[in-house]
């Protein structure tokens, strides 16, 4: 499908006569139909990878390093091999030594460590045995002799001379270095009325999906099937095939139901590689899984970023230029970190309209678990920093924070200094609505002791403009097959439902495009053999990108049906339409035929009724280094207001109430959308106040469990309002945009600003824990008395 | 994360349980709700060869009021039993509230008051309120039973005066004429977080004069502790807000909290000051809450 086939907002508006272009007469989309997998999940019928069992299946586990940095002197697996029930023990000698990673620019991981281990949790060996208990026992019997090396645990020191080096190819532990400059920041700051510099620090957070990572590998002759708890069967298929030198057609990756991913299940986990080798050696299916501690150790969670921001504004608070100077702790490997590093700076330009921008970033290696993509990717911490920074500026200038944002808010049909084209943008409306529904003005002017209210804005890509590795494959594709008698239709798509509900909304979209009904849709998704290619669930891409492919497939079905109907009914194709399973004459709707009847006739005369679609985004972005990261066909926008109550004696932060207003284009399923916003707020709130992965001075995780890694509970959740503004995105099917990740980006900023409003002191590091708030208040009192 | 192998007994009487314990000595462990014991066994911190379950001893689940003796709580009563017991709610709602706000619902359904006491960790929620109410505990062994003040039971982290062949059977709160009591815990989220600091108090007020009180602190020292210096600040004095603050400062001073990933020593100490003052105020003005 080419760009010009899509309707513009103006065309859409004239077609249906509303300002946003929304067609009020859609019959399937725009409705909160129940989840297609809801019944299976609530009744416990839904099978997750960990629930699957195969005849003769073995259980496997990976032995990991107890040291943050050490040379492997020897590995003795003989005792483990002798344990009854153990079927195979493997080390680096038994697997390909080809380096892999998810970011092709930096393939720096091996299936098992060869010479050195680089963090506590690095992979050393694996065992397959008849049951889990035996596997755990066998792991203890593998003897690894290490020579412990000095470790680098502090990212700010990692680049210094004389520090231990993790990877030979990366001197001074510099994994990714970025220097981007647009316009003339120095001049802008020099000429500004007011320049402010602030320094913020994020924390290492972890996705904590409720379902642990797992993979079951099964060989039939030379074909490998991997059942995996993954966000992207495609990338797994690509990397598994590459590791073992197999054609992609000999590797089938599929998922069952998934209990959340949030970015942590996007890249190979090691379980699928080790499992494939163990399964090959033993000739039996092998189930590999991480327990909760191992999930934390494998990690790939949110990077800790050190963020220095300098901004110049004029007298009215108009932003003239911004300099972002960041360091991020990457951990021992690249993971998705190259992209995270670019995203950190790239998306800082999206919300506010300014011309001069400079971004410097150093992503450094440390002897800690690797960090990767977590909901919102590199954006949430810089967004927290920028939103806090902006409120500091508002205070300096004596301008209301919402007023300051309104003066700088991005408008529709603009281009950012780093060349992102923004078409739909209802940010101003979102800010105004958040202000009004939260009763901002009243609350800002009369606040009881300890109470505070703050605003934060957020935004995100609706799918990345470019895939993770270089390829010209379409980003999404879909096939729809109507059953012979027209009584059901099946959508085949590579899109991955990890709990967010894509299976449901894609079926709604298919039914809408076909003129069919949701209740008769079925779906086969995320199976590299049974469904056509799609890159998967990341970068908030599926509603827009998979949606395009599904729409095209559905429309092809409809076109074929109308053609057949025209023959039967004796009308021209143009005179007919199909909706809600009825094909009718547009001018005389009472003349109609059922979808099923015509579909059956089609099958009898022409064979299978199949529609297909695919989507490739247009070429996006500028020409500078890293220009691809942050490009997207469309951007979502959000304004969030949060009210907090701080116990000024104990530092306890209670989130009292929050209001989120989203510009996410046309909404396909309001209930699922609001659920995403609720979940995203919950996650952002956890990172704002509670969550942090902590290490001791040997690089060992101190809180790799859900008791001490404190996700908020239902009781911590405030009263929450999720609202929308009217919006229509011309580059998207039916005008949709993303919501999954963008909704988590404003939260830390809005909570930070609410706490600032409540106590008058800025907590500049995450999480804004009770003890930090208590300490800040103590300092404040000390300063007031001296 | 697997349990080591062990022999399992579920005796039908306290006497039988005691003789099993006597027979197996230090190799045996008592199992109540198992929320602490099984966790330790799975993590390799304990590997008893024999586990003696109290599961069949239903008499130990009883909660009742006996004229003359006071409130009697069986050691196997769960936290939710404490939270929902009409007898406790009527007499000392503060105990029900304390039980209701600890752990999370799943744990409260199986975790017992006996286990919470004998486990002997500084952050345990029930010892402070029971100590503040002057609780006695009854220990039964093969040769008979003995009763002691709960506050004298604790020796250190995971260390108590219980003998290897003894079972904690009941907790007794004698009638003492308190006018108010309460427990305030401070955790790092609203559910499922251990206390970083906690204070329990009981008071006997005579108009504005405080005629008797106990302050017990949790997570403030290796064992749940009485804050006697803080008590002395208030005893037989007319209560004012300034005096309550002074008692809080005193409690903070006599506490001996530790640094941990949940909170620094300095932070915990200040929390003890605040919680003590607030708990006193609440018990004085609101009764048993
Ligand atoms: C997720 C989670 C959250 C928790 N949160 C809290 C919390 O907020 N506050 C809190 O205080 N605790 C908490 N705990 C700890 C624990 O649940 C409680 O201490 C509980 O009351 C222990 O009781 P139990 O019956 O499960 O003890 P068990 O595990 O059965 O026993 C604990 C110890 O006491 C001994 N024992 C048990 N009963 C007797 C008896 N009658 N006589 C002699 N010895 C006995 C056992 O041998 C063992 O050594 C939590 C635990 C978990 C797993």
């Amino acid at each position: 499908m080419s760009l010009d086939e899509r309707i513009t907002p103006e065309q859409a508006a004239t077609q249906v006569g509303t300002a946003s272009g929304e067609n009020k007469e859609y019959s399937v989309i725009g409705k909160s139909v129940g989840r297609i997998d809801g019944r299976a999940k609530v009744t416990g019928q839904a099978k997750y990878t960990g629930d699957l069992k195969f005849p003769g299946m073995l259980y496997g586990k990976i032995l990991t390093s107890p040291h943050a940095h050490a040379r492997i002197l020897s590995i003795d697996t003989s005792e483990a091999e002798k344990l009854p029930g153990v079927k195979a023990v493997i080390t680096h000698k038994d697997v390909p030594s080809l380096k892999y990673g998810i970011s092709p620019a930096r393939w720096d991981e091996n299936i098992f460590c060869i010479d050195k281990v680089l963090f506590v949790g690095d992979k050393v060996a694996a065992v397959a045995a008849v049951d889990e208990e035996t596997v755990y026992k066998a792991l203890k019997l593998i003897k690894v002799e290490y020579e412990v090396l000095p470790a680098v645990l502090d990212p700010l020191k990692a680049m210094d001379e004389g520090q231990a080096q993790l990877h030979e190819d990366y001197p001074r532990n510099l994994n990714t270095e970025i220097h981007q400059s647009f316009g003339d920041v120095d001049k802008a700051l020099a000429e500004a009325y007011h320049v402010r510099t602030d320094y913020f620090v994020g924390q290492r957070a972890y996705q904590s999906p409720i379902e642990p990572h797992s993979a079951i590998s099964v060989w039939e002759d030379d074909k490998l099937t991997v059942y995996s708890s993954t966000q992207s069967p495609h990338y797994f298929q690509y990397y598994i095939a590459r590791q073992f030198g197999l054609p992609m057609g000999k590797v089938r990756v599929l998922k069952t139901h998934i209990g959340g991913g949030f970015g942590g299940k996007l890249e190979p986990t090691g379980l699928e590689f080790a499992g494939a080798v163990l399964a090959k050696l033993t000739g039996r299916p092998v189930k590999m899984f991480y327990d909760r501690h191992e999930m934390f150790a494998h990690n790939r969670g949110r990077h800790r970023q050190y963020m220095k921001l300098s901004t110049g504004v004029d007298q009215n608070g108009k932003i003239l230029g911004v300099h972002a100077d960041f360091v991020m702790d990457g951990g021992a490997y690249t993971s998705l970190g190259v992209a995270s590093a670019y995203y950190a700076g790239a998306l800082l330009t999206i919300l506010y309209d300014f011309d001069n921008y400079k971004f410097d970033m150093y992503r450094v290696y440390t002897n800690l678990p690797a960090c990767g993509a977590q909901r919102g990717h590199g954006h949430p911490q810089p967004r927290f920093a920028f939103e806090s920074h902006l409120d500091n500026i508002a205070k300096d200038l004596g301008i209301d924070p919402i007023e300051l944002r309104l003066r700088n808010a991005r408008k529709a049909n603009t281009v950012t200094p780093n060349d992102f084209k923004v078409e739909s943008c209802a940010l101003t409306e979102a800010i105004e609505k958040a202000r009004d529904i939260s009763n901002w003005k009243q609350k800002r002017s009369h606040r009881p002791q300890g109470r505070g209210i703050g605003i934060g804005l957020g935004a995100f890509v609706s799918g990345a403009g470019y895939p993770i590795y270089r390829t010209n494959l379409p980003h999404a594709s879909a096939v729809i097959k109507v059953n012979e008698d027209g009584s059901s239709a099946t959508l085949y798509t590579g899109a991955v439902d990890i709990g967010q509900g894509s299976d449901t909304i894609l079926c709604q979209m298919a039914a809408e495009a076909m003129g069919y009904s949701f209740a008769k849709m079925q779906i086969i998704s995320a199976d590299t053999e049974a469904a056509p290619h799609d890159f998967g669930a990341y970068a908030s891409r599926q509603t827009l990108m998979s949606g395009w492919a599904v729409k095209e497939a559905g429309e092809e079905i409809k076109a074929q049906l109308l053609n057949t109907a025209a023959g039967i009914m004796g009308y021209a194709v143009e005179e007919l339409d199909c909706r809600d399973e009825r094909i009718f004459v547009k001018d005389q709707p009472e003349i109609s035929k059922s979808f099923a009847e015509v579909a059956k006739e089609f099958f009898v005369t022409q064979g299978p009724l199949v529609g297909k679609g695919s989507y490739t985004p247009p070429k996006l972005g500028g020409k500078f280094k890293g220009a691809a990261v942050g490009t997207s066909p469309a951007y979502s926008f959000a304004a969030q207001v949060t009210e907090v109550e701080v116990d000024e004696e104990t530092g306890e932060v209670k989130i009292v109430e929050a209001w989120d207003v989203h510009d996410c284009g046309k909404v396909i399923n309001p209930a699922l959308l609001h659920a995403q916003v609720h979940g995203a707020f919950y996650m952002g709130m956890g990172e704002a106040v509670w969550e942090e992965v902590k290490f001791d001075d040997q690089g060992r995780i101190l809180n790799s469990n859900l008791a001490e890694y404190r996700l908020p509970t239902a009781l911590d959740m405030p009263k929450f309002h999720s609202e929308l503004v009217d919006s229509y995105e011309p580059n998207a099917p039916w005008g949709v945009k993303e919501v999954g990740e963008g909704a988590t980006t404003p939260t830390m900023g809005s909570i930070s600003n609410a706490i600032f409003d409540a106590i008058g002191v800025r907590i500049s590091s995450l999480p804004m824990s009770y003890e930090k708030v208590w300490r800040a208040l103590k300092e404040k009192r000390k300063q007031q008395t001296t | 994360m697997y349990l080591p192998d062990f022999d399992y007994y579920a005796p039908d009487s306290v006497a039988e349980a005691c003789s099993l314990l006597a027979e197996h000595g230090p190799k045996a462990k008592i199992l109540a709700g198992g929320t602490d014991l099984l966790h330790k066994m799975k993590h390799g911190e304990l590997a008893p060869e024999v586990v003696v379950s109290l599961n069949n001893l239903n008499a130990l689940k009883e909660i009742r009021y006996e004229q003359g003796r006071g409130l009697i709580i069986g050691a196997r009563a769960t936290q939710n039993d404490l939270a929902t017991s009409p007898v406790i709610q009527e007499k000392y709602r503060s105990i029900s509230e304390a039980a209701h706000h600890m752990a999370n619902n799943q744990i409260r359904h199986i975790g017992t008051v006996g286990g919470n006491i004998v486990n002997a960790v500084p952050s345990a929620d029930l010892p402070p309120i029971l100590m503040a109410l002057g609780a006695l505990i009854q220990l039964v062994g093969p040769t008979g039973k003995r009763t002691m003040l709960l506050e004298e039971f604790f020796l250190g982290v995971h260390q108590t005066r219980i003998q290897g062949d003894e079972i904690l059977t009941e907790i007794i709160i004698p009638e003492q004429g308190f006018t108010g009591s309460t427990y305030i815990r401070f955790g790092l989220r609203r559910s499922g977080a251990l206390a970083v600091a906690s204070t329990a108090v009981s008071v006997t007020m005579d108009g504005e004069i405080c005629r008797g009180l106990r302050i017990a602190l949790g997570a403030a020292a290796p064992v749940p502790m009485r804050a006697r210096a803080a008590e002395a600040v208030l005893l037989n004095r007319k209560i004012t807000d300034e005096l309550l603050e002074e008692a809080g400062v005193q409690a903070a001073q006599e506490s001996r909290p530790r640094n941990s990933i949940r909170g620094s020593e300095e932070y915990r100490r200040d929390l003890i000051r605040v919680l003590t003052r607030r708990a006193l105020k609440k018990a004085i003005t609101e009764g048993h809450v």
Side-chain angles (χ1 to χ4, degrees), chain B residues 92-115:
Chain B
Y92 303 111
R93 196 184 168 85
S94 47
I95 299 177
S96 295
E97 291 284 340
H100 177 63
H101 286 104
M102 61 190 287
N104 54 50
N105 202 31
Q106 292 92 322
I107 297 292
R108 293 195 295 269
H109 266 308
I110 46 174
T112 65
V113 56

Side-chain angles (χ1 to χ4, degrees), chain A residues 546-558:
Chain A
S546 313
W548 265 133
V550 167
K551 182 168 190 274
E552 197 175 70
E555 284 168 351
E556 192 177 316
I557 298 265
K558 185 166 163 178

Side-chain angles (χ1 to χ4, degrees), chain A residues 131-133 136-137 291 647-654 690 694 702-703 706-713 715-716 770-771 774-775 778 781, chain B residues 1-5 186-194 196 245 259-271 273-275 277-278:
Chain A
D131 57 34
E132 276 175 27
E133 199 170 350
Y136 278 109
K137 283 184 184 152
D291 62 26
D647 183 325
E648 296 189 346
E649 286 192 301
T650 64
E652 183 176 5
V653 177
K654 184 177 177 200
W690 290 278
K694 295 183 176 177
L702 290 168
N703 55 344
L706 300 180
E708 294 302 335
Y709 183 82
R710 267 179 296 278
L711 301 162
T713 67
L715 292 183
D716 298 292
Y770 303 166
E771 184 164 351
W774 168 82
R775 206 170 284 283
K778 199 173 119 180
R781 278 191 285 270
Chain B
M1 296 291 266
Y2 278 83
L3 285 171
D5 294 339
F186 189 82
L188 298 180
R189 66 182 162 194
R190 300 204 152 234
S191 172
L194 293 177
V196 175
E245 171 66 16
N259 277 310
S260 85
I261 54 165
R262 288 196 283 276
S264 68
E265 181 201 326
E266 195 192 356
Y267 182 44
R268 287 171 191 257
R269 214 181 266 282
D270 201 43
L271 287 173
R273 172 184 68 84
V274 175
L275 300 186
R277 192 195 66 226
R278 289 180 182 178

Side-chain angles (χ1 to χ4, degrees), chain A residues 699-751:
Chain A
R700 290 179 295 227
I701 304 180
L702 290 168
N703 55 344
S704 57
N705 57 65
L706 300 180
E708 294 302 335
Y709 183 82
R710 267 179 296 278
L711 301 162
T713 67
L715 292 183
D716 298 292
M717 202 56 192
K719 189 169 178 196
F720 188 76
H721 312 266
S722 171
E723 298 270 349
L724 298 166
V725 285
D726 223 6
S727 145
Y728 180 90
E729 171 55 49
N731 294 311
W734 295 286
V736 302
K737 296 200 277 188
E738 76 86 39
V739 70
E741 295 185 75
T744 210
T745 60
T747 309
M748 293 195 279
S750 85
I751 292 176

Side-chain angles (χ1 to χ4, degrees), chain A residues 158-179:
Chain A
M159 289 176 280
D160 294 351
E161 288 299 329
Q163 288 288 318
Q165 292 282 308
L166 273 80
H167 298 269
E168 267 171 30
D169 306 346
Y170 296 90
R172 291 175 51 232
N173 295 316
L174 251 176
N175 169 267
T176 303
E177 188 173 348
I178 305 169
H179 303 288

